[in-house]
Amino acid sequence: MPRVPAYFDAFLAAIAQGAEIDHVHLGHWDEPEAVTPSRARAGFAEAQARLSERLVAMLDVGPADRVLDVGSGFGGTLRALRRSHPAAALVGLNVDARQLAVSLRRDAAPMNATWIAADACRLPFAEAIFDRLLCVEAAFHFRSRLAFLTEARRVLRRGGVLVMSDILLTPPPDGLAALSDRLEADLGPWPAKWVSLAEIRRDAARAGFALTVHDATANTGPSYHTIAPDGRADRTGGAILRDLHRSGRLRYLYLRLAA
C-alpha cells in the first residue's frame, strides 16, 4: 500500500482524545476578502463542510446513483452525501485502514455506505460500476494523477462524472530543493509537486474525460490563518503552501471530469 501522509497521525491522536474531525482539507470561503484571522479560525470547520457541499453539488448525484469517494478521509463528505441522497449507494475508499475505522465508528448504521481499504491507482472494482466519483484534495498524494484518472474512467459508467479538488504548485525561482524536501516531509507523499493546468488537461484527455475547471484559489485563502498562522518561526509544509498561495504560485482548483 502507498504511504499515508504523516500529518494524519496527529489527527488520529486528536480523535482518540475525543476531537470531532469530519474533514481534512482547506475549506471554502464565499467572501474571502472579508474574513479576518479570528473569524477564519472560528469558522474553519464550517468552511470545510462548505467545500464538500460545493463539490457534491458539482457531482449532480441522482437518487439511486452509485458513488465512490476516493481518499475518503474520516468520512465527512460521504456522511453529508448520505443525508442529502439517502437512496444513493456510497463507497468510501482509503489507503489507511485507521481512517476507515474512524468512519465506521462514526457511522453506527451504515445502511447504504461501504468502506474499503485500497489504492486509488488500483481500484478494486469491475468496469463501469459507478455513476459518480469524488476525490477531495487527495489526488496529489497518489502515485500518479494519470493512473488515478485512468482507473476512475474505467470504473465510471458512460456519462458518469468525477469531481475533484486539487492543488497545483508553480516552482519558485530559488530554493526549490529545500521547499520540495519540506513539502514531502510534512505533507507527502506528493510525487509530482510542480504541475501545470496544461498537464492536468493533458492527463484528463488521455484518460478519456472532458474537463471543466473552476479556480477556487481565493476561496481557500483564509484557511491559512488556521493551518499556518503568521508569526511562527518554523518553516512547515503548511507555511510553504501559504507563501506559495500569496505569491500566486499555488492554484486550488475544482475539477469536473465527464466520461
Side-chain angles (χ1 to χ4, degrees), residues 107 138 161 164 195:
D107 230 350
V161 172
M164 55 191 287
V195 175

Side-chain angles (χ1 to χ4, degrees), residues 74-253:
F74 299 125
T77 302
L78 277 188
R79 282 191 292 277
L81 247 173
R82 199 168 114 188
R83 290 190 294 270
S84 61
H85 297 80
L90 310 178
V91 179
L93 182 142
N94 200 299
V95 71
D96 187 1
R98 301 171 302 169
Q99 296 176 52
L100 293 171
V102 171
S103 300
L104 280 168
R105 286 199 302 271
R106 299 187 64 183
D107 230 350
M111 299 169 293
N112 59 335
T114 303
W115 307 95
I116 296 175
D119 182 349
C121 295
R122 295 181 179 179
L123 296 174
F125 305 108
E127 295 183 5
I129 195 172
F130 291 103
D131 303 287
R132 297 290 187 267
L133 261 68
L134 184 65
C135 181
V136 183
E137 203 174 305
F140 55 86
H141 289 310
F142 301 161
R143 169 174 56 82
S144 160
R145 284 182 176 90
L146 177 58
F148 165 61
L149 293 177
T150 301
E151 278 289 272
R153 181 63 188 87
R154 181 183 67 80
V155 303
L156 269 173
R157 295 177 176 136
R158 183 178 297 276
V161 172
L162 162 64
V163 169
M164 55 191 287
S165 61
D166 204 356
I167 297 174
L168 308 187
L169 306 179
T170 300
D174 303 307
L176 185 59
L179 291 182
S180 294
D181 288 347
R182 176 51 62 188
L183 286 171
E184 188 64 30
D186 288 2
L187 304 176
W190 199 325
K193 297 174 183 64
W194 315 104
V195 175
S196 68
L197 179 54
E199 291 172 281
I200 297 295
R201 292 188 185 280
R202 178 202 64 197
D203 287 350
R206 288 176 64 185
F209 284 109
L211 174 65
T212 303
V213 178
H214 174 76
D215 193 320
T217 306
N219 303 100
T220 64
S223 296
Y224 292 102
H225 293 301
T226 298
I227 69 166
D230 291 309
R232 292 186 179 176
D234 50 339
R235 183 70 163 156
T236 63
I240 290 171
L241 293 185
R242 177 199 65 207
D243 294 346
L244 289 171
H245 174 100
R246 290 177 178 173
S247 64
R249 295 182 178 276
L250 180 153
R251 299 184 71 183
Y252 196 100
L253 304 179

